[in-house]
Amino acid sequence: MDGEQPAPPPPADLGPSALLPAEERDRWALRLHRAVTGFIDEPRKSFEEADAVLGETAARVAELVKERRDVAATDDTEGLRVALRECRELTERLLNL
């Protein structure tokens, strides 16, 4: 069909956004990388650091979940719709870890 343009790609913001801010992800990823690469020289210290990163990351995720619940403590239908969508996206992402 002449003159028809292909459909543009969907906007990038339609996909799921990152759960944690990039700065936090990068900081924890670097600490985890250092822990893993230091295992041969100091296995106990390496494990303890990796375990600390896991605990801090899990605590931050729990904090984000609480924040989303606080936002959903409204009777505003639009706010609840957004909160429901975010809850669904977060749960699906956690289930796919």
Side-chain angles (χ1 to χ4, degrees):
M1 308 211 168
D2 293 330
E4 283 191 32
Q5 297 288 327
D13 64 345
L14 289 181
S17 60
L19 181 59
L20 300 168
E23 183 179 303
E24 287 181 65
R25 288 192 325 263
D26 292 347
R27 185 177 65 243
W28 283 318
L30 179 60
R31 284 179 57 199
L32 183 60
H33 175 74
R34 288 179 178 159
V36 170
T37 59
F39 183 80
I40 291 176
D41 295 329
E42 298 181 88
R44 171 57 59 186
K45 182 179 177 184
S46 186
F47 164 75
E48 289 171 352
E49 177 65 4
D51 187 55
V53 171
L54 173 60
E56 291 170 25
T57 304
R60 180 65 174 124
V61 169
E63 182 180 306
L64 289 171
V65 169
K66 183 185 179 315
E67 288 173 9
R68 289 173 195 240
R69 284 185 177 151
D70 292 345
V71 168
T74 177
D75 288 329
D76 173 51
T77 301
E78 179 60 17
L80 289 170
R81 184 189 69 76
V82 170
L84 175 62
R85 185 188 72 218
E86 290 178 351
C87 185
R88 182 195 71 217
E89 289 173 359
L90 177 57
T91 301
E92 288 173 348
R93 291 166 70 187
L94 289 171
L95 292 172
N96 286 313
L97 290 179

